[in-house]
């Protein structure tokens, strides 16, 4: 039957009797690490005047045709109007007397769009921020709808974790932000490439509460920007007795700003006794001095001093104390960090340790060297950090993690993503028994699998494999082992830590280096930032006060909530159990039937690979894996995979499920079940006003958990584990009732 071929909107000439054989497929189970496009065989286009014009005179002398290098939109129809390909890709080369062409369609559109693209090319401006105490706390405020979150975890840095009055205290300088994978997926697929998508997996907690870390350690630990240096000082409010025995109540550093580079940050007052900041920020002051006096001194910084009135200098308020009792004629150096608002000024003063009314006697010349640096906070740019992560690799990570198959709508840019389990449970199987011609072969070893088919993470220690797992096939005739999926994502360390008073994973973004011979007062542990370490993790909400500090700036803060790390359902053994068990069921008793079926143009043009197909000749249901080299009017070879009866009966387990709630007057018993591996469980209750009245940890083995109430009201009960929150169960107190949760 003749075919109609359109290239770039123009009807091409085909030779009489030209055969264009079509192969249709979506996901060859032989290659779990790949997703496939439809394609035709290579066929010839005669070099007629029409075809030469369509090819923009390709192969003619002096031509400037771009046809071999561009996307050539291509549609293929039968003479009865059946559409085999709509807006596919035609790849054209020179074949001598004719042009050679191959046509692709299906998911080729998506993979061609993202080819050689990195995530750094995506608009990630919503993630850009300055890493400081405020941005960390803000990332825990769900009302702000931020696309990044600082998840509390041990990143192998200087966490500074301590407990103060029963509350944890965290050094946020060694935290990193994580981007929400669901947001990043949507930003790439829809916002960047205009693709719409559907799939139940995108509504699951496993997907919505999946986060990817910033890939490198980043802190504010640099020298900052030098904004002032000076060594000139003078005494003030000093009633001279003689040149060797002057009495000082105060001392002011006399600031000079001879270096014009500093003028953009500070200005001196008319008497040069104080520096006024032009920019708000945190400043680090380093001082090295020898105060040559006959007495010890108290050395300090004061703010907004009235240096024009010497009589008031003895009464100024101390802002930052440098030394409380500095011994006379002693070399001294120290460092402090302090905040300044634009317009505020600082002055360096000293007084007698015993109070403002005691004089300090000068003993001779003193020396003071002082440097001020403005601390530079780290600017977090995910575009820069993701420059080495390709869009294709990111999509593959999501597709592999959920065992997804892509189904492109022929006529628009919509993709449906289905798990294999959903395909196996598809309603209304299609009976192809009347299309059966003959069986060609029946195989029991499928593809290039092994007895152990490994899913592998990346590891800092290449000898580790603790979160890897394998699909095991009980067939001794297969090779022993094979890696079928190698993730770009790093695994947490094998050794867990006691971070946040619980056993947690270590997501290594710093390397600890031990100095066996440190300088006096120097920390023997150095923290070297690592790079290109991408981790997946989950964010588990915790309603608890937490004290925070910024090691470099000495800032402190407090939050009544935060998010802690969880690795729920991220080890590959959980992923295989949740999304690949059907593969195990199919391949362990593999029966791959290759048969000839007589399919019509309408069958092939509208073939639905999402459905199951029944053949009474085998008394079995099949997944259609591939239709090979279809030619109109002829039987076509089809590769089909037999489905075992129980392969579709697999249910995924949520981390926590509320089964029943019973109330008895002012008490409620909450019955629940948890998934294997869940260790941290929380139950909450909100009253009718939305106020959280109960938030308590629960022993995962102690069901039911008893809740006690003191006020009559309606309450919404929820449980949380592994970053997942159950739906609310509404109860009324006081009451006597039993609520069964379906």
């Amino acid at each position: 039957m003749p075919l109609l071929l359109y290239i770039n909107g123009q009807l091409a000439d085909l030779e009489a009797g030209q055969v264009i054989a079509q192969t249709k497929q979506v996901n060859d189970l032989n290659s779990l690490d790949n997703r496939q496009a439809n394609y035709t065989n290579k066929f010839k286009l005669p070099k007629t005047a029409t075809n030469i014009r369509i090819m923009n005179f390709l192969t003619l002398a002096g031509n400037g045709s771009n046809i071999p290098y561009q996307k050539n939109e291509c549609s293929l129809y039968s003479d009865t109007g059946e559409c085999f390909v709509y807006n596919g890709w035609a790849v054209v080369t020179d074949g001598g007397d004719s042009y050679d062409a191959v046509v692709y369609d299906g998911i080729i559109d998506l993979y061609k769009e993202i080819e050689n693209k990195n995530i750094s090319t995506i608009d990630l401006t919503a993630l850009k921020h300055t890493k400081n105490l405020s941005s960390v706390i803000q990332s825990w405020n769900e009302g702000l709808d931020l696309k990044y979150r600082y998840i509390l975890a041990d990143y192998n840095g200087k966490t500074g974790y301590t407990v103060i009055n029963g509350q944890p205290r965290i050094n946020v300088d060694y935290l990193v932000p994580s981007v929400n994978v669901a947001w990043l997926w949507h930003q790439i697929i829809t916002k960047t490439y205009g693709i719409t998508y559907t799939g139940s997996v995108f509504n699951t907690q496993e997907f919505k509460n999946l986060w990817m870390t910033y890939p490198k350690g980043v802190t504010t630990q640099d020298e900052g920007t030098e904004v002032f240096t000076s060594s000139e000082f003078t005494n003030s409010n000093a009633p001279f007795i003689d040149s060797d025995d002057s009495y000082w109540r105060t001392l002011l550093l006399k600031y000079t700003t001879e270096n014009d580079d500093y003028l953009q940050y500070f200005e001196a007052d008319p008497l040069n006794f104080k520096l006024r900041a032009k920019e708000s920020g945190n400043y680090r002051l380093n001082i090295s001095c020898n105060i040559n006096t006959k007495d010890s001194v108290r050395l300090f910084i004061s703010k907004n001093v009235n240096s024009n009135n010497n009589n008031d200098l003895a009464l100024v308020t101390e802002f930052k104390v440098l030394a409380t009792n500095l011994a006379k004629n002693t070399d001294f150096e120290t460092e402090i960090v302090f905040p300044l608002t634009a317009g505020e000024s600082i002055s360096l003063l000293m007084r007698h340790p015993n109070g403002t009314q005691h004089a300090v006697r000068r003993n001779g010349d003193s020396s003071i060297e002082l440097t001020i640096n403005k601390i530079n906070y780290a600017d977090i740019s995910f575009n820069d950090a993701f420059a080495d992560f390709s869009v294709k690799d990111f999509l593959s990570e999501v597709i592999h993690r959920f065992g997804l198959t892509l189904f492109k709508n022929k006529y628009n840019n919509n993709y449906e993503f289905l798990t294999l389990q959903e395909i196996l449970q598809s309603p209304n199987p299609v009976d192809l028994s009347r299309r059966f011609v003959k069986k060609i072969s029946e195989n029991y070893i499928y593809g290039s699998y092994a007895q152990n088919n490994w899913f592998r993470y990346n590891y800092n220690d290449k000898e580790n494999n603790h979160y890897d797992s394998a699909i095991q096939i009980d067939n001794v005739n297969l090779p022993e082992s094979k890696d079928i999926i190698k993730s770009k994502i790093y695994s947490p360390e094998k050794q867990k830590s006691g971070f946040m008073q619980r056993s947690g994973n270590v997501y290594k973004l710093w390397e600890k280096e031990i100095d066996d011979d440190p300088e006096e007062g120097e920390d023997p542990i150095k923290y070297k930032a690592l790079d290109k370490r991408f981790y997946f993790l989950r964010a588990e909400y915790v309603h608890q006060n937490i004290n925070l500090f910024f090691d470099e700036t000495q800032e402190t803060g407090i939050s009544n909530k935060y998010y802690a790390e969880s690795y729920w359902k991220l080890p590959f053994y959980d992923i295989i159990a949740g999304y690949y068990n059907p593969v195990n069921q199919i391949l362990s008793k593999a029966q791959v039937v290759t048969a000839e079926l007589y399919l019509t143009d309408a069958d092939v043009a509208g073939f639905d690979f999402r459905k199951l197909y029944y053949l009474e000749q085998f008394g079995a249901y099949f997944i259609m894996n591939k239709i090979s080299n279809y030619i109109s009017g002829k039987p076509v070879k089809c590769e089909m995979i037999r489905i075992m009866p129980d392969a579709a009966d697999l249910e995924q387990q949520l981390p926590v499920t509320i089964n029943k709630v019973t109330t008895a007057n002012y008490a409620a018993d909450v019955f629940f079940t948890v998934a294997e591996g869940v260790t941290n469980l929380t139950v909450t209750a909100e009253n009718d006003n939305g106020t959280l009245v109960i938030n308590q940890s629960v022993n995962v083995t102690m069901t039911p958990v008893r809740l006690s109430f003191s006020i009559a009201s309606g309450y919404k009960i929820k449980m949380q584990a592994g970053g997942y929150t159950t739906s609310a169960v509404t109860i009324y107190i006081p009451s006597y009732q039993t609520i069964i949760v379906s």
Side-chain angles (χ1 to χ4, degrees), residues 266-331:
F266 283 110
E267 62 182 1
D269 75 328
L271 299 178
N272 294 329
F273 287 147
K274 59 184 178 183
L275 283 176
R276 184 175 292 106
K278 292 185 176 181
E279 295 182 357
S280 299
N282 284 282
Y283 294 84
R284 181 187 294 109
L285 182 147
N286 292 86
I287 186 170
S288 176
C289 64
N290 186 303
I291 307 298
N292 193 359
T293 60
K294 294 182 178 180
D295 311 278
S296 297
V297 297
R298 183 177 179 88
L299 192 63
F300 62 96
I301 296 289
S302 188
K303 282 203 305 185
N304 304 324
V305 170
N306 182 6
S307 58
N308 295 315
N309 187 347
N310 289 340
N311 292 327
D312 292 335
L313 292 176
L315 304 177
V316 296
T317 302
E318 297 174 350
F319 171 50
K320 291 288 182 179
V321 176
L322 305 176
T324 58
N325 195 353
L326 178 59
K328 59 185 179 179
N329 199 23
T330 302
D331 291 336

Side-chain angles (χ1 to χ4, degrees), residues 387-515:
D388 296 316
F389 206 109
S390 74
V391 172
K392 182 179 179 181
D393 283 342
F394 174 75
L395 264 61
S396 295
E397 290 292 343
V398 174
I399 289 168
H400 293 159
R401 199 157 297 275
F402 297 99
L404 297 174
T405 300
L406 291 68
F407 299 90
K408 183 185 182 299
N409 186 293
K410 182 187 293 185
Y411 299 107
N412 59 44
N413 216 16
N414 182 74
Y415 286 76
E416 184 177 17
F417 292 79
L418 296 179
T419 65
L420 181 58
Q421 182 177 337
E422 289 174 318
I423 296 172
L424 294 176
Q425 293 175 339
S426 65
N428 305 320
V430 178
D431 190 345
L432 287 179
S433 302
R434 296 180 64 182
R435 304 291 190 186
F436 180 78
V437 177
K438 66 178 180 179
K439 181 174 75 173
I440 297 174
S441 65
E442 184 170 312
N443 295 319
Y444 307 101
I445 297 178
Y446 183 61
S448 56
Y449 286 97
Q451 295 179 57
N452 294 284
N453 302 277
W454 286 95
F455 289 53
R456 301 284 192 190
Y457 271 113
N458 234 327
Y459 291 89
N460 290 295
D461 183 347
K462 300 304 180 184
E463 299 301 316
N464 281 340
N465 61 0
H466 47 277
Y467 281 134
D468 294 348
S469 192
I471 295 175
Q472 295 181 335
I473 299 175
D474 187 15
N475 187 336
V476 296
N477 297 306
L478 295 175
E480 181 180 351
S481 182
K482 179 184 179 182
D483 293 346
I484 60 173
I485 289 179
K486 294 184 178 180
S487 176
K488 303 288 185 182
I489 300 299
Y490 274 76
S491 161
E493 299 300 290
K494 184 175 183 179
Q495 186 69 37
K496 296 182 181 295
S497 76
F499 185 70
M500 295 294 296
Q501 297 178 298
R502 67 187 215 178
S503 177
N505 291 286
V506 179
Y507 305 85
K508 197 172 184 180
L509 288 172
W510 279 273
E511 188 76 66
K512 295 177 182 176
E513 298 179 344
I514 308 298
D515 186 352

Side-chain angles (χ1 to χ4, degrees), residues 89 102 113 124 179 182-183 187 289 361 388 407 449 527 538 612 622 731 735:
W89 292 64
V102 177
E113 283 281 2
L124 302 180
V179 59
W183 177 84
Q187 194 72 3
C289 64
R361 295 175 296 169
D388 296 316
F407 299 90
Y449 286 97
Y527 298 90
R538 304 198 190 280
L612 295 180
F622 295 87
I731 64 171
S735 67

